[in-house]
Amino acid sequence: MTHELHEAIERLYSVFSTYGPVQEMEFCPCGCTKSDAIDPLLHRTAISMDFSELADYSFSAMTTQGSVQNFKYLLPRLLQGIAAEEYRYNTEILFGKLKYAKFLSWPSVEIDAVSGFMEQIWKLAIQSYPVNPVLPAFFEIETLLSSIAQTGVAISPYLQIWSETNTVAATKHLLHFITVHGEEFANGRTLTAAFWASAPDQALELRRWLLQPQVWNRIQEGKDVPIDSGFEHLLAAALAVLAKEMESTAV
């Protein structure tokens, strides 16, 4: 974890500390949540909780467990955990809870704290190839980008960071992304699989960025960089798709 990411997490704890500890938490009375699942979340500081204790809560937060205020108090521990530990659910689920909680309407100091965290975890990811050994909750760079997209924010600033990070790791991430996902952009399409279907605006941002000449030039310059993904045989077809899409976009 970088110093900057550590500072961003400390800021989250500082900003959201006023919402807890959680003294009580409502939960769905239908039986999908048991009272003993809530008990470990009560009367404790967020920083003292194990991330594993919060996994089930993160899946059900605000839908069947607790309020937005409860979520805000536990959010720093959730984000600290997602930046350092394995997570047994899709990371998009946790990040999507921010959109569910309408975090872009929160006070500016809270929005800034969350945004600062996302910027720093993204910078760490872009500089780390493969990403999983450094951020165990994320399978590849697409997983983190998809997760950020679920919050409802524009992803263009994150793509710009990718463009400006002139390192071998960032280039390998780009090649890996193209190798695995490039053919999905054929015939004017963009990513719609899995969680991208719920973030169409961000998926369009991604397509537009990917078809920029400077991104294409970077792909061409680095296409022989070994990425050891096991999917290298897909790269030629993916590049052919992108070349055709760039040509049709320019017409």
Side-chain angles (χ1 to χ4, degrees):
M1 182 179 295
T2 62
H3 175 70
E4 291 80 7
L5 179 54
H6 180 74
E7 285 191 333
I9 291 170
E10 287 190 334
R11 186 183 180 199
L12 286 167
Y13 277 109
S14 175
V15 167
F16 291 102
S17 62
T18 57
Y19 291 102
V22 178
Q23 301 301 319
E24 59 182 8
M25 183 179 289
E26 295 183 358
F27 58 93
C28 181
C30 75
C32 60
T33 299
K34 307 299 183 184
S35 60
D36 57 1
I38 300 299
D39 292 341
L41 309 180
L42 304 180
H43 314 297
R44 297 174 59 192
T45 58
I47 200 170
S48 70
M49 298 182 188
D50 290 337
F51 183 52
S52 59
E53 293 180 305
L54 292 169
D56 289 340
Y57 164 76
S58 70
F59 185 85
S60 303
M62 297 169 290
T63 49
T64 61
Q65 293 186 47
S67 64
V68 172
Q69 287 71 27
N70 298 154
F71 177 69
K72 284 185 176 184
Y73 179 68
L74 297 172
L75 182 59
R77 185 66 187 96
L78 290 167
L79 296 182
Q80 180 187 30
I82 209 72
E85 303 178 45
E86 294 182 351
Y87 183 60
R88 62 175 176 262
Y89 297 112
N90 296 98
T91 55
E92 289 94 339
I93 291 173
L94 173 55
F95 281 74
K97 292 295 182 178
L98 285 160
K99 184 176 182 180
Y100 186 88
K102 298 181 173 61
F103 104 95
L104 290 176
S105 68
W106 293 358
S108 59
V109 67
E110 297 177 2
I111 298 173
D112 290 345
V114 174
S115 299
F117 167 83
M118 292 196 296
E119 179 179 339
Q120 293 306 324
I121 195 175
W122 177 252
K123 287 181 176 179
L124 173 59
I126 284 296
Q127 293 277 22
S128 307
Y129 184 89
V131 70
N132 184 255
V134 177
L135 297 169
F138 300 94
F139 180 69
E140 58 178 297
I141 201 67
E142 181 273 334
T143 313
L144 177 54
L145 189 61
S146 174
S147 297
I148 293 171
Q150 300 312 304
T151 69
V153 302
I155 62 170
S156 292
Y158 299 90
L159 298 173
Q160 184 62 31
I161 290 171
W162 200 348
S163 293
E164 294 172 355
T165 305
N166 188 24
T167 64
V168 172
T171 299
K172 285 186 173 184
H173 278 306
L174 181 57
L175 291 173
H176 182 101
F177 178 83
I178 295 303
T179 298
V180 177
H181 304 285
E183 292 190 72
E184 298 177 55
F185 293 88
N187 302 315
R189 298 195 304 268
T190 190
L191 296 184
T192 57
F195 291 90
W196 285 104
S198 60
D201 292 341
Q202 289 80 1
L204 183 57
E205 286 181 89
L206 176 56
R207 175 184 169 83
R208 288 171 174 168
W209 174 77
L210 197 59
L211 297 181
Q212 290 179 355
Q214 58 266 38
V215 176
W216 175 253
N217 290 340
R218 183 170 183 177
I219 293 169
Q220 290 298 307
E221 291 170 2
K223 64 183 179 181
D224 294 325
V225 173
I227 57 174
D228 301 318
S229 68
F231 299 99
E232 285 83 354
H233 60 286
L234 301 176
L235 180 58
L239 291 177
V241 166
L242 292 184
K244 184 176 180 180
E245 293 304 296
M246 288 189 66
E247 182 180 349
S248 63
T249 301
V251 173

